[in-house]
Structures are given as C-alpha cells and as structure tokens.
C-alpha cells in the first residue's frame, strides 16, 4: 500500500484537495431557504398562526447579556452567592441551543442518546473522555428514561431548547466554574435550582420586557420583514392568528414598532399569556377578554372576534370557536416542545420551526474550508470502511494514520461552528438530539419568517429523498453532499 507516514497523508491532501469539490459547489446553500421535513403545499394553507418571541420578533444578542448579568446579580444579591461570581462576564459563544444538563455537566447528545465526547463541560472546562466514560459506567450512552421526557425534562437531565436558555446555560457553567476553581464545597443540585430561579425571575418580574420596551430599536431586529410577511399573507386572503405567552402591553409595543399602530387589523385572533405548552394539551382555563386598557373583562367568551385581545384559554375551545382544524393550519414557533410538538402530534396542524442559528451555520457550511474538510472526511471514512480487512502491519499502520486524521478533521469541522460544542445540528456524523426533534415536530424550518417572502404562496415544499442506509444514492443532490437542492426562488427576491 506504499508509505504511511503523516507526511505522505499531508502530501495526498495537498495534491488532491483542488479536485475534491466540483466547481461552484460552495455557496450553494442560501440562508433564506426554507427546508422541508415533510411535503407541504402552501396552496392548501388557509390559516397562518404565529408565536411572538423569536418568531414575529427577532432579538439582538445584546438581550442575552442583559439576562445573564441580571440573573448573575440576583444570585449574589438575593441568594447570597459569593461576590467573586460577579467577575465573570457573559461569554456570548460559549453554549449552543439543544444541549443537555446532567447536574453539574453540560453536554451535547446525539439522536441515539450518545454523548458526543469532547463536548462535556464541568463549569467552563472540558471533561476528559476517560472521565466521562467512568462517570457513565463505561459508556457514553444516556438511558432513554433519563433524557427523553416529552418536553425535554427527564428525571435527572434537562434539555435546553429555548433561545432564551443560552444565558442560563452560561450562568450555570460560570457558577459551577467559580466553586470548582476556588475549591469551595457546594451542592450542584442546589446551584441548578438557584440559577433556574434567578433566570425565571428575570422573565417573571418583567426585567426583559422593560429593557425591550425602553429601547425597541436596539433589541428588535428586522421588523420591516415581519410587516412584509403579514401584509403579503393578508393580501392573499389568508387568516392570521397570534398565540403567545407574552403579556399584551409588551406585544402591543413591539408590534406597533414593527408593523404599525393598526397591527391588530392583520390578525383574526390575538391571544396573549396563553401559558403554552399547557394551552395546547389541557382544557381547564377559559378565554378572557381584555379591554382597550389591557384590563380583564368578566363576560363569557362564545366567539373569538377580530379586533379583540384574549388572555389564557385553551386549544380545545380555540378549535371549537374557530373551526380551524387539521392541515389547513400552519403554525410557526421557535420552541420545538412548547410551540410545535403538541400541534404536530396531537392536533394535526402543520408546523414551521424558526431556527435563527441556520443563518450562521449555513454560511459556515458554504465556506471552502468546511466543504473541503467534510469531503475529505467522507473520503477517509470510505477508505477506512473498505481497507479495514487488510491485517498486515503496513496496512494497519496506514489505517491508524487515517483514523487519527479522521479524528482531527472531525475536531476541525466541529470547531468551525463552536469550539466547545460544535453545530446544533450534528454530532460528528450523527444528527443531534435537537435535530431529531426538529425533524419530528416541524414540517418545515427556516432561519426567520422573512424566508416566506422568497416563495410563491402556491409553492409546494418537497423533502429531499435522502437514501436509507440500504439504498443507493441515485439522485444528484445526494451525490454532492446534499448541496445541490436549493429551492430558493431568485425571481421572488423583489418582494423583500
């Protein structure tokens, strides 16, 4: 098989790297693409529903710093944590969405419930792989009953699915790191509860609402695109509704900023403080109407009227009063569990997931560095698979070199997305736990609602027919790493 030194492998890489990718294969993915998990025709959708936070309203990353700083101060001032924690500033790119927290440990888990080694952190420091294996009884598998509660909460492990959870994960890591670094004895279970309560206080006591309402221009992004989406849907005769957990005063101020003072004219039904996900799966709370001042009224709700604002309620009454059932309804939200899971599995609505991280990750996937590294990684994997039966010493040495290079390429591609945890969609070659839920609970997913502006409202989204392991890749979009199918309509760009 020839020489097998690291130099020869490097020579092979340099010699063939220019031939690894077809011309123009990079930059084929457009960040404004809508991706389909399930075939869905917009022509059949008559009713569009929306969450508010991170769906109609996208927020600046500066908001996460405010949440982190305020919760950190609550820990010190109200929960009497050591003042040394105040020295830790917010680390914007430490965590990614979809991570799991096993008391004291933050980690990324794949779709098969395996921990991705190299992504386990105690505090702000990585835990060595051998220590991880020792802690989990010689394996890096998380049992189903621990990790797989319907809303991401097992008896011992929690999954962070909310975009607002990024500062919470960072504060958990920081607080753990402080106690460990200073050799202070503490109970990580108490720490987890205190951090969770501090973050909850930021939301419940209205700090976040106050910051945003005081500086809408700083915190709300791309409001003009939200207006364009709503205007286009209404102009095409679609019914619109809003179901959000946020209070009316907050939603009203944000929507007036993005859409205008008559924003309610776009919506046939507006529901605030809905208490999702309970709104979708119980029938206990009735609807209550708010007057023009936002005060609760006492009249019984027998119909949901356009121009009115309702609080609480439940989906069963919503379906009875509107008749909006089944696959003619498409609801958009950012939280896979609280917004989409019940609607998809129990009520048969079509669902659209808003995943802002797609914009950044798509740009990374489009880089030449990532495309070349991934293509070479796939080539190495194929070589290992075919050559592993050769048992002579020289072949075995080559195989060991290839295994090492494959590990280095895996680390390289992971670090391009996030040095600690990598992409939110993949753990090396497997989908993440987050990705599996994304595919299960959403018909389509996209970086923002504005992606709708690039498609005709009669457009049909077809999921890519990805070959099963026993099927041959017979289509071009599978032969070229999945980059070739980009249903972005350039001719629709003038709408934006």
């Amino acid at each position: 098989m020839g020489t097998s030194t690291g130099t020869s492998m490097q020579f092979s890489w340099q010699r063939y790297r220019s031939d690894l990718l077809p011309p123009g294969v990079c930059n084929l993915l457009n960040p404004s693409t809508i991706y389909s998990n399930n075939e869905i025709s917009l022509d059949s959708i008559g009713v569009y529903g929306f969450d508010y936070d991170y769906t109609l309203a996208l927020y600046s990353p500066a908001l996460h710093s405010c949440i982190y700083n305020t919760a950190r101060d609550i820990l010190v001032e109200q929960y009497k944590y050591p003042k040394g924690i105040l020295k830790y500033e917010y680390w914007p790119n430490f965590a990614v969405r979809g991570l799991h927290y096993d008391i004291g440990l933050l980690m990324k888990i794949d779709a098969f419930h395996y921990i991705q080694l190299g992504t386990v952190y105690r505090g702000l420091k990585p835990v060595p792989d051998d220590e991880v294996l020792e802690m989990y009884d010689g394996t890096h598998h998380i049992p189903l009953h621990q990790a797989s509660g319907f809303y991401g909460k097992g008896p011992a492990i929690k999954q962070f699915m909310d975009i607002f959870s990024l500062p919470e994960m960072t504060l958990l890591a920081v607080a753990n790191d402080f106690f460990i670094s200073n050799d202070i004895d503490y109970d990580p279970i108490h720490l987890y509860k205190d951090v969770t309560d501090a973050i909850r206080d930021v939301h419940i006591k209205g700090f976040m609402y106050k910051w945003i309402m005081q500086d809408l221009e700083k915190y709300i992004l791309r409001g003009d695109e939200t207006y364009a989406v709503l205007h286009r849907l209404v102009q095409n005769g679609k019914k619109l509704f809003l179901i959000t957990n946020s209070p009316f005063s907050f939603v009203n101020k944000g929507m007036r900023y993005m859409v205008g003072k008559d924003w309610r004219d776009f919506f046939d039904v507006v529901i605030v403080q809905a208490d999702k996900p309970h709104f979708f799966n119980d029938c206990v709370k009735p609807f209550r109407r708010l007057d023009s001042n936002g005060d609760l009224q006492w009249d019984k709700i027998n119909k949901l009227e356009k121009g009115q604002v309702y609080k609480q309620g439940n989906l069963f009454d919503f379906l009875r009063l509107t008749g909006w059932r089944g696959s003619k309804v498409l609801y958009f939200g950012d939280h896979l569990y609280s917004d989409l899971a019940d609607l998809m599995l129990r009520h048969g609505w079509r669902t659209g997931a808003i995943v802002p991280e797609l914009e950044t990750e798509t740009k990374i996937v489009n880089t030449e560095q990532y495309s070349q590294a991934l293509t070479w990684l796939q080539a190495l994997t194929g070589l290992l698979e075919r050559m592993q039966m050769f048992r002579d010493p020289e072949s075995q040495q080559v195989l060991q070199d290839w295994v090492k290079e494959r590990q280095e390429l895996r680390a390289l591609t992971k670090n391009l997305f996030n040095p600690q945890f990598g992409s939110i969609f993949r753990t090396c070659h497997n989908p993440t736990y987050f990705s599996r839920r994304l595919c299960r609970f959403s018909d389509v997913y996209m970086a923002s609602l504005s992606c709708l502006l690039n498609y005709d409202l009669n457009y049909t989204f077809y999921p890519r027919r990805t070959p099963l392991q026993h099927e041959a890749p017979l289509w071009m979009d599978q032969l070229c790493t999945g980059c070739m199918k980009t249903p972005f309509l350039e001719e629709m760009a003038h709408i934006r």
Side-chain angles (χ1 to χ4, degrees):
M1 292 182 62
T3 59
S4 59
T5 64
T7 302
S8 67
M9 285 194 298
Q10 185 179 14
F11 172 75
S12 296
W13 163 255
Q14 292 173 339
R15 178 178 177 183
Y16 296 114
R17 65 186 299 175
S18 62
D19 300 324
L20 286 173
L21 301 175
V25 75
C26 299
N27 296 313
L28 284 177
L29 290 178
N30 193 301
S32 295
T33 298
I34 294 177
Y35 299 96
S36 174
N37 295 317
N38 191 20
E39 185 172 326
I40 176 174
S41 173
L42 294 183
D43 186 48
S44 68
I45 304 298
V47 184
Y48 286 77
F50 306 93
D51 181 30
Y52 180 71
D53 296 302
Y54 281 108
T55 301
L56 289 174
L58 294 179
Y59 297 122
S60 161
L63 183 60
H64 294 161
S65 298
C66 294
I67 295 172
Y68 169 88
N69 289 336
T70 304
R72 180 198 59 190
D73 294 348
I74 290 173
L75 274 184
V76 173
E77 294 169 9
Q78 297 183 23
Y79 292 83
K80 307 305 179 184
Y81 273 60
K83 291 184 178 180
I85 293 176
L86 296 174
K87 297 178 181 178
Y88 288 82
E89 297 296 329
Y90 182 59
W91 184 349
N93 298 315
F94 172 71
V96 299
R97 191 155 56 121
L99 299 180
H100 284 76
Y101 186 76
D102 187 1
I103 301 302
L105 300 174
L106 201 57
M107 66 187 73
K108 191 164 76 169
I109 296 176
D110 73 11
F112 301 95
H113 292 237
Y114 282 91
I115 301 167
Q116 180 182 359
L117 296 177
T119 68
V120 180
Y121 275 72
R122 182 186 288 113
L124 299 174
K125 298 178 179 62
V127 180
D129 294 348
D130 56 352
E131 188 176 339
V132 173
L133 293 173
E134 183 179 348
M135 285 189 293
Y136 290 94
D137 299 323
T139 179
H140 51 104
H141 180 263
I142 300 293
L144 181 68
H145 72 278
Q146 292 186 26
S148 195
F150 188 73
Y151 296 108
K153 298 176 183 178
I157 296 178
K158 176 184 176 180
Q159 186 182 19
F160 290 99
M161 294 293 274
D162 195 337
I163 300 175
F164 285 128
S165 66
L166 292 172
E168 182 176 358
M169 287 186 278
T170 305
L171 185 55
L172 277 169
V174 158
N176 277 293
D177 189 79
F178 173 82
F179 284 113
I180 294 169
S181 299
N182 290 278
D183 198 24
I184 299 174
D185 186 40
Y186 74 106
D187 189 331
I189 295 177
H190 297 330
L191 184 148
Y192 169 74
K193 184 181 185 305
D194 292 344
V195 169
T196 300
D197 289 347
I199 291 287
R200 182 200 60 198
D201 287 347
V202 174
H203 295 277
I204 289 180
K205 294 183 178 180
F207 291 108
M208 187 190 77
Y209 301 140
K210 182 179 70 174
W211 301 326
I212 295 173
M213 289 193 289
Q214 287 178 344
D215 199 341
L216 296 168
E217 187 174 355
K218 176 180 178 180
Y219 292 111
I220 293 183
L221 305 176
R222 296 155 64 173
D224 55 334
E225 295 180 0
T226 297
Y227 170 82
V229 170
L230 299 178
H231 181 267
R232 184 163 177 250
L233 292 174
V234 170
Q235 287 293 102
N236 282 270
K238 307 300 182 181
K239 300 287 187 182
L240 306 185
F241 67 91
L242 169 65
I243 301 177
T244 175
N245 285 349
S246 293
F248 175 70
S249 58
F250 174 68
V251 174
N252 183 49
K253 191 151 189 178
M255 289 300 290
R256 288 173 69 95
Y257 172 73
M258 293 187 290
V259 179
K261 61 183 179 64
D262 298 323
W263 67 270
R264 279 191 280 168
D265 292 344
F266 285 108
F267 293 91
D268 294 88
V269 179
V270 174
I271 300 167
V272 298
Q273 292 178 277
D275 192 27
K276 296 179 292 183
H278 302 297
F279 180 91
F280 295 131
N281 56 42
D282 68 38
C283 53
V284 175
K285 294 181 180 178
F287 285 109
R288 296 197 66 175
R289 187 169 58 87
L290 301 180
D291 65 14
S292 57
N293 295 319
D295 295 324
L296 282 173
Q297 301 300 291
W298 57 85
D299 51 320
K300 184 175 181 179
I301 305 301
N302 295 311
K303 58 182 178 179
L304 298 175
E305 299 178 277
K306 184 168 184 174
Q308 299 295 323
V309 177
Y310 301 93
K311 178 182 176 181
Q312 298 178 342
N314 63 83
L315 186 65
F316 300 93
D317 285 343
F318 180 89
L319 297 176
R320 177 176 57 84
L321 295 172
T322 63
W324 294 339
R325 298 177 182 274
S327 58
K328 72 177 182 181
V329 183
L330 173 56
Y331 184 80
F332 293 94
D334 67 289
H335 199 299
L336 300 182
Y337 296 135
S338 296
D339 289 325
L340 307 182
D342 288 301
L343 296 177
M344 163 73 79
L345 300 180
R346 300 180 182 181
H347 301 289
W349 284 7
R350 312 309 291 267
T351 56
I354 304 301
V355 188
E357 296 93 338
L358 265 174
E359 189 165 348
T360 300
E361 295 222 1
T362 299
K363 291 176 181 177
I364 294 170
V365 169
N366 280 338
T367 62
E368 184 177 359
Q369 182 183 17
Y370 177 83
S371 297
Q372 287 183 337
L374 181 64
T375 306
W376 187 244
L377 178 61
Q378 292 294 86
L380 272 178
T381 302
L383 287 170
L384 285 167
E385 183 178 23
R386 287 190 287 273
M387 302 303 293
Q388 60 184 313
M389 69 284 298
F390 292 93
R391 310 307 300 175
D392 61 279
E394 187 178 16
S395 298
Q396 286 296 301
Q397 180 60 53
V398 172
L399 286 169
Q400 289 177 21
D401 290 340
W402 283 347
V403 167
K404 181 180 179 182
E405 185 174 4
R406 183 171 181 255
Q407 291 171 339
E408 292 171 352
L409 283 170
R410 280 182 161 185
L412 171 64
T413 53
K414 163 184 167 281
N415 291 342
L416 289 174
F417 295 98
N418 176 284
Q420 293 76 237
F421 301 101
S423 166
I424 72 168
F425 300 104
R426 282 206 178 271
T427 58
C428 296
H429 56 284
N430 284 338
T432 59
Y433 196 94
F434 175 89
S435 280
R436 179 61 61 87
R437 294 300 182 268
L438 178 65
C439 293
R440 184 70 184 91
F441 299 147
S442 66
D443 291 288
V444 292
Y445 62 99
M446 64 209 75
S448 70
L449 273 182
S450 64
C451 297
L452 281 171
L453 297 174
N454 303 309
Y455 295 85
D456 187 89
L457 290 180
N458 295 316
Y459 191 89
T460 298
F461 295 97
Y462 296 98
R464 182 179 293 119
R465 184 184 169 94
T466 305
L468 300 174
Q469 293 299 310
H470 64 277
E471 295 178 327
L474 300 179
W475 307 277
M476 276 304 297
D477 59 339
Q478 274 79 49
L479 295 174
C480 295
T481 68
C483 291
M484 300 300 291
K485 181 177 179 180
T486 307
F488 176 70
L489 302 182
E490 291 290 350
E491 63 269 25
M492 300 300 294
H494 69 279
I495 295 174
R496 301 185 62 124

